[in-house]
Amino acid sequence: MATGPLWDRLSLALSPGLNGYGSPQRRLPPQHRLFDPSTIEAVRRGPWSVEILSRCIVEASPDCIEVLDPQGNLQFANPTALQQLRSSNTAENEGESWALSWPDEARATVLEMLEAVRDTGVARFSHWRPGIFGEARYWDITLSRMLDDDGDLIGLLAVSRDITALAQAQTHSVLCSLELSHRLKNVFALVNGLVTLSARNVPVVQPYARTLRDRFTNLGRALEYLHASSQDKAEPRPVQTMQALLRTLLMPFEDVSSAHRRIRLFDVADIPIRDTSVTSLALIIHELATNAVKYGALSGDIGTVSLRCRRYDKRISLVWCGRGGPLIAQPPEHVGFGATLVQRSVSGQLGGKIAYHWEPEGLRVLISMPTDLLVQADAT
């Protein structure tokens, strides 16, 4: 199956790019093309021919490489694909519809991706697909168009990478997060019950007990942002906007008995936030508020925190400013785990930058994040 007209005409793009393996390459001027006539002739005079080199690269790849005709029928499978997905006898699979090798629940997605790659040149998706012995495996698949020298479509390249271990690890992480969220809810419910029982026969502390219960209830709602999963359909998150997120997270830290507001929001752009960014942003805000209560502006009776969020063309700017707490003589000598976690969340998950300004009157934190990673795509 590896020989014949189709194989001879294929120019396989196997170098990893921004869209993964097999991404269609930009057509270069003739003098810069890798396989121009002079280069081919020079290689043929050496130990490698272009045909041998291409075939060796494909056969040595640890990924499953399958070549389809423009209609989506199998024409070639490399040794890895034969060992992991198909029979060792290639003739048994030649000419069959590639979509039929997928389970029924994936068929619609596969056909949609085949149509997309014909239109756009590249498509990528992930799905479960059984191995040769029927074992469940999760694959990351990149589809690419293959064109001849005239720009006509001659085939489709499917490169599948086994990411089963990663998918299992992510599933385990989600289950752990859900379990932690469930346990935290039980803890808050238990504490609220104990407060109610302890204050039942002491009327003078009833207002204090009510306030304390409200604090724990609000804190439980805020922590749901840190542990809620998109798979937890029974308890969806609140509306994913910047204002809703900040108000929910900061409500437990507001002193309802105070004559003035301790936490103030100014110029907060009410923008929809990507689900993938909500948890990281919630962790950052919750950590800053917790530190303000323990050491900063909210640790006393008169301190305040102001928070601003402005949207620019390509950046979102978040400014946290604490005032009225203990005077700051110098920055802390040691960086705690919470600060390290915040730094990793800002720079890693959100692709942004964070700067701490330890001013004598209070801490000011500047966070800058790219819009495209934080804001919902349909809101940009």
Side-chain angles (χ1 to χ4, degrees):
M1 186 185 297
T3 60
L6 180 62
W7 175 265
D8 294 338
R9 295 163 61 201
L10 294 181
S11 177
L12 298 178
L14 296 177
S15 299
L18 292 177
N19 295 316
Y21 283 80
S23 301
Q25 304 297 308
R26 180 172 59 88
R27 192 173 294 277
L28 299 175
Q31 64 269 27
H32 296 297
R33 291 181 59 192
L34 176 61
F35 294 126
D36 63 26
S38 61
T39 303
I40 293 176
E41 185 61 32
V43 172
R44 281 176 175 166
R45 291 197 298 266
W48 296 95
S49 68
V50 173
E51 291 81 4
I52 293 175
L53 180 61
S54 298
R55 186 171 289 111
C56 287
I57 292 173
V58 172
E59 293 179 350
S61 173
D63 295 327
C64 296
I65 298 177
E66 298 167 290
V67 176
L68 319 176
D69 64 19
Q71 290 72 42
N73 301 313
L74 181 69
Q75 299 295 308
F76 169 83
N78 74 336
T80 305
L82 295 176
Q83 293 168 7
Q84 299 189 25
L85 294 173
R86 301 182 176 278
S87 167
S88 58
N89 185 350
T90 56
E92 293 182 4
N93 309 117
E94 184 174 2
E96 74 172 16
S97 172
W98 188 64
L100 293 179
S101 65
W102 289 83
D104 294 342
E105 59 270 19
R107 198 75 46 77
T109 299
V110 172
L111 292 174
E112 180 183 350
M113 291 298 102
L114 287 174
E115 189 65 28
V117 71
R118 295 186 188 102
D119 294 338
T120 64
V122 65
R124 188 170 185 175
F125 67 103
S126 300
H127 215 289
W128 291 97
R129 182 184 183 186
I132 192 171
F133 299 110
E135 71 279 14
R137 293 191 181 185
Y138 198 70
W139 302 90
D140 176 57
I141 304 97
T142 300
L143 294 171
S144 305
R145 283 189 309 205
M146 293 184 293
L147 310 176
D148 61 15
D149 289 339
D150 297 325
D152 296 326
L153 178 66
I154 60 172
L156 304 173
L157 178 68
V159 180
S160 303
R161 174 164 294 178
D162 188 348
I163 58 171
T164 306
L166 177 60
Q168 292 173 340
Q170 291 176 337
T171 300
H172 178 71
S173 176
V174 169
L175 291 176
C176 289
S177 179
L178 291 174
E179 181 180 357
L180 179 58
S181 177
H182 178 70
R183 290 180 181 273
L184 284 173
K185 292 174 187 176
N186 288 342
V187 168
F188 287 127
L190 175 62
V191 171
N192 276 342
L194 292 175
V195 171
T196 301
L197 289 175
S198 301
R200 176 176 297 173
N201 298 319
V202 187
V204 69
V205 300
Q206 289 290 343
Y208 172 78
R210 188 180 305 110
T211 300
L212 189 60
R213 287 196 304 269
D214 290 342
R215 284 289 185 91
F216 279 117
T217 300
N218 290 333
L219 186 58
R221 292 172 180 169
L223 287 177
E224 286 181 4
Y225 273 101
L226 299 178
H227 304 289
S229 167
S230 59
Q231 298 182 11
D232 192 0
K233 303 300 183 182
E235 298 187 18
R237 285 173 172 159
V239 177
Q240 306 301 310
T241 67
M242 181 66 76
Q243 285 190 15
L245 175 66
L246 294 179
R247 293 185 189 282
T248 302
L249 293 173
L250 295 174
M251 187 183 301
F253 302 95
E254 182 64 73
D255 188 354
V256 295
S257 63
S258 176
H260 64 284
R261 296 191 64 84
R262 303 288 303 276
I263 302 176
R264 305 169 184 175
L265 303 181
F266 298 99
D267 300 330
V268 176
D270 196 22
I271 52 179
I273 305 173
R274 290 181 182 269
D275 288 342
T276 53
S277 300
V278 168
T279 300
S280 297
L281 191 57
L283 186 150
I284 293 166
I285 298 301
H286 190 269
E287 183 65 25
L288 291 175
T290 300
N291 287 338
V293 170
K294 293 168 64 176
Y295 316 110
L298 301 181
S299 62
D301 296 329
I302 61 173
T304 61
V305 167
S306 64
L307 192 58
R308 299 177 184 271
C309 179
R310 294 180 178 176
R311 178 177 179 176
Y312 300 96
D313 184 21
K314 296 183 179 180
R315 310 289 295 182
I316 300 292
S317 175
L318 193 65
V319 181
W320 173 283
C321 186
R323 291 293 183 265
L327 292 177
I328 299 177
Q330 62 182 15
E333 297 180 358
H334 303 288
V335 177
F337 174 75
T340 301
L341 196 60
V342 167
Q343 176 66 50
R344 291 178 179 176
S345 298
V346 172
S347 60
Q349 283 80 11
L350 300 179
K353 299 179 180 179
I354 184 170
Y356 293 88
H357 297 272
W358 301 94
E359 300 168 351
E361 58 272 23
L363 172 64
R364 188 162 56 96
V365 182
L366 307 180
I367 303 175
S368 177
M369 300 161 285
T371 302
D372 55 351
L373 292 182
L374 185 66
V375 181
Q376 287 281 15
D378 55 1
T380 56

